[in-house]
């Protein structure tokens, strides 16, 4: 039996907590895609653990863990994360495997990531200059992507250009050295003096040390996963990032570089779709995102500041302040259409204890196009004519940039009870129950798990 736990928004929904709960019954926990740009925090037995590339199933001492073929791995960070977990008393010995087909993130890729972000920023600043005057920039288009600068995008670019290096190639020193030198020469031609501080021979020398250290972790994941599925092993797949950061279905180009949904899990681990029993979409009770890109329901007011402050919304991987806004059901319906959730996990509902009124985005509608005298010209999308209702989440970021959001206001439960710490559905405030049922009615998927606090025990299961 296979269970997928997938982010339904822009990440940081709290997938790690549900994974931690479910992995108690799992024999194998696996990551299918992404790299150490992901971040999960788990609080177990009073100890806080931060996970980035490693599956959080390591918290369960009986669970085997796999970093799958669709992942990209920065080897120094892999070892550093293992070391940090072990220092906190977590025994990881013989419980973490790394697919030999996963690709390597080199220090070179980290450098390139930063250079590319800088180029995008410079290009956006130049574009804003119009005859010597700065014009209003669109919030959804242009500028840096806002990556974690962990080298993930450049590593996936090399993979798809067929110039990347896979884990198994580390153990063929001559081939490995040759391929890394080719990558470095290509970067030198592209970026010139900007990468003069990078020394390819120094990185090769570091891998001479990593080679034998890494060997005990590396496996052929294809027979491992095939055997586990054939024997009906309880497999838990821990999604990284989230659907709205998917390379195909997210807010491109403000996305990550991998397939973050159901399809990416299947291809990244070699899963049989016929063996998948549960697809759990994890959705925060409000919405957050980190980095650039569109965010229709972003609350650029006191409500957004309160959500950020009360929810302690800072990225696990980068420490960056998250942008905050209200729950967006147009976005969630789009996410469900791609991932086909069987159940939802609504997280951080307790944060809404502090609000008298709760706003929920239920639709988008066209607004008047921006004046050409004050804003860049706008060309209506062929797929969304200028005055047509916007019934689905659009691919065109210009459409998102000029749409109005339709909200429904729901009465909060401030002063009428608290969600925080509740363990049973019947103990939730009536307003919180109405909020949950409102979401279910609009999306058409049952909310089977409700997060009511930071601890693993703070969960209502329906």
């Amino acid at each position: 039996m296979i269970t997928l736990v997938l982010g339904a928004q822009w990440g940081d929904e709290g997938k790690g907590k549900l994974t931690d709960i479910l992995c108690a019954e799992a024999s194998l926990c696996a990551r299918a895609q992404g790299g150490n740009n992901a971040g999960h925090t788990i609080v177990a037995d009073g100890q806080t653990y931060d996970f980035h590339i490693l599956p959080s199933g390591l918290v369960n001492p009986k669970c085997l863990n796999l970093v799958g073929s669709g992942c990209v791995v920065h080897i120094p960070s892999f070892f550093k994360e293992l070391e940090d977990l072990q220092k906190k008393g977590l025994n990881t010995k013989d419980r973490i495997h790394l697919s030999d087909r996963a690709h390597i993130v080199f220090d070179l890729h980290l450098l390139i990531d930063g250079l590319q972000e800088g180029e995008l920023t410079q290009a956006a600043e130049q574009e804003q200059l119009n005859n010597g005057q700065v014009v209003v920039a669109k919030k959804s288009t242009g500028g840096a992507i806002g990556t974690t600068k962990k080298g993930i995008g450049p590593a996936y670019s090399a993979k798809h250009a067929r110039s990347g290096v896979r884990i198994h190639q580390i153990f063929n020193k001559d081939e490995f050295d040759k391929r890394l030198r080719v990558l470095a020469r290509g970067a030198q031609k592209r970026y010139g003096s900007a990468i003069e501080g990078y020394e390819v021979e120094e990185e090769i020398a570091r891998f001479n040390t990593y080679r034998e250290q890494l060997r005990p972790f590396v496996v052929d994941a294809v027979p491992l996963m095939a055997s586990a599925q054939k024997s009906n092993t309880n497999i838990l797949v821990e999604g990284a990032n989230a659907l709205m950061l998917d390379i195909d279905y997210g807010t491109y180009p403000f996305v990550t570089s991998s397939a973050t949904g159901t399809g990416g899990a299947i291809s990244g681990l070699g899963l049989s779709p016929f063996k998948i029993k549960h697809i759990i979409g994890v959705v925060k009770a409000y919405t957050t995102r980190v980095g650039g890109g569109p965010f229709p329901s972003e609350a650029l007011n006191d409500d957004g500041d309160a959500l950020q402050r009360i929810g302690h919304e800072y990225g696990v991987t980068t420490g960056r302040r998250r942008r905050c806004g209200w729950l967006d059901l147009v976005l969630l319906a789009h996410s469900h259409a791609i991932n086909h959730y069987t159940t939802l996990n609504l997280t951080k509902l307790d944060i809404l204890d502090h609000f008298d009124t709760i706003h929920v985005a239920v639709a988008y509608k066209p607004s008047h196009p921006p004046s050409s005298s004050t804003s860049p010209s706008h060309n209506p999308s062929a797929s969304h004519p200028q005055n047509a209702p916007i019934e689905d989440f659009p691919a065109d970021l210009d459409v998102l940039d000029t749409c109005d959001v339709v909200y429904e206001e729901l009465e909060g439960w401030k002063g009428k009870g608290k969600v925080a710490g509740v363990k049973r559905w019947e103990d939730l405030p009536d307003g919180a129950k109405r909020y949950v049922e409102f979401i279910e009615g609009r999306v058409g998927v049952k909310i089977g798990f409700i997060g009511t606090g930071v601890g693993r025990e703070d969960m209502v299961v329906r």
Side-chain angles (χ1 to χ4, degrees), residues 160-235:
H160 290 289
R162 301 179 298 279
S163 59
V165 184
R166 301 206 292 188
I167 294 293
H168 70 86
Q169 292 173 313
I170 293 174
F171 304 108
N172 182 338
K173 177 173 168 52
D174 290 343
E175 177 69 11
F176 175 86
D177 293 357
K178 179 178 70 175
R179 292 185 69 85
L180 181 51
R181 289 183 181 119
V182 168
L183 278 175
R185 283 197 297 270
Q188 178 65 46
K189 290 179 182 178
R190 167 67 175 81
Y191 296 101
S193 61
I195 64 164
E196 283 183 354
Y198 173 77
E199 295 291 342
V200 65
E201 298 304 321
E202 291 181 3
E203 184 146 30
I204 286 174
R206 288 193 289 274
F207 272 86
N208 290 337
T209 300
Y210 300 146
R211 186 167 288 112
E212 292 310 312
Q213 292 177 343
L214 197 64
R215 192 180 295 276
F217 299 97
V218 178
V219 298
D220 184 346
V222 174
L224 173 66
M225 292 302 299
S227 175
Q229 292 175 82
K230 186 176 181 180
S231 62
N232 291 318
T233 296
N234 192 346
I235 300 171

Side-chain angles (χ1 to χ4, degrees), residues 192-447:
S193 61
I195 64 164
E196 283 183 354
Y198 173 77
E199 295 291 342
V200 65
E201 298 304 321
E202 291 181 3
E203 184 146 30
I204 286 174
R206 288 193 289 274
F207 272 86
N208 290 337
T209 300
Y210 300 146
R211 186 167 288 112
E212 292 310 312
Q213 292 177 343
L214 197 64
R215 192 180 295 276
F217 299 97
V218 178
V219 298
D220 184 346
V222 174
L224 173 66
M225 292 302 299
S227 175
Q229 292 175 82
K230 186 176 181 180
S231 62
N232 291 318
T233 296
N234 192 346
I235 300 171
L236 181 62
V237 178
E238 181 177 9
N241 315 118
L243 192 280
M244 298 310 298
L245 295 174
D246 184 89
I247 188 68
D248 294 312
Y249 296 105
T251 48
Y252 185 90
F254 296 93
V255 294
T256 192
S257 301
S258 59
T260 61
T262 300
I266 291 171
S267 63
L269 288 167
L271 301 178
S272 166
F274 306 107
K275 295 279 189 178
I276 297 173
K277 185 173 182 180
H278 303 291
I279 304 175
I280 304 174
V282 184
V283 53
K284 200 174 284 185
Y286 47 102
T287 309
T288 63
R289 82 170 299 174
V290 172
F295 187 167
S297 67
E298 185 171 13
L300 299 172
N301 53 25
D302 290 343
D303 287 340
D305 290 341
L307 288 168
Q308 195 279 329
R309 183 182 67 256
I310 299 166
H312 304 288
E313 294 295 349
Y314 294 91
V316 174
T317 298
T318 64
R320 291 181 293 181
R321 176 184 170 122
R322 295 172 185 147
R323 300 157 61 191
C324 296
W326 297 109
L327 182 65
D328 187 338
L329 295 185
V330 180
L331 179 156
L332 188 55
H334 170 75
S335 182
H336 175 45
I338 304 304
N339 279 343
H340 309 285
Y341 303 120
T342 59
T343 312
L344 294 178
N345 171 204
L346 187 69
T347 66
K348 302 189 80 167
L349 185 60
D350 54 300
I351 303 304
L352 300 186
D353 282 347
H354 304 270
F355 293 86
D356 293 308
T357 302
I358 297 168
H359 303 266
V360 183
V362 296
Y364 304 156
K365 65 179 182 179
S367 63
H368 296 295
S371 168
S372 60
S373 64
T374 59
S375 299
S377 61
H378 172 68
N379 295 315
S381 166
S383 60
H384 286 88
Q386 186 169 329
N387 294 317
I390 304 171
E391 298 179 353
D392 304 297
F393 196 91
D396 190 336
L397 302 194
D398 282 340
V399 174
L400 282 175
D401 198 54
T402 57
C403 75
D404 289 330
V405 180
V406 179
Y407 291 96
E408 284 203 25
E409 291 187 1
L410 303 180
E411 182 182 356
W413 52 91
K414 182 179 178 181
K416 301 175 184 178
K418 289 187 176 181
V419 167
V422 169
K423 309 293 190 297
R424 303 188 307 165
W425 168 257
E426 52 267 33
D427 294 333
L428 288 172
D430 289 341
K433 291 177 184 176
R434 287 193 295 269
Y435 186 64
V436 170
E437 290 166 347
F438 178 81
I439 298 167
E440 290 177 327
R442 289 297 185 117
V443 181
V445 182
K446 180 179 178 179
I447 296 175

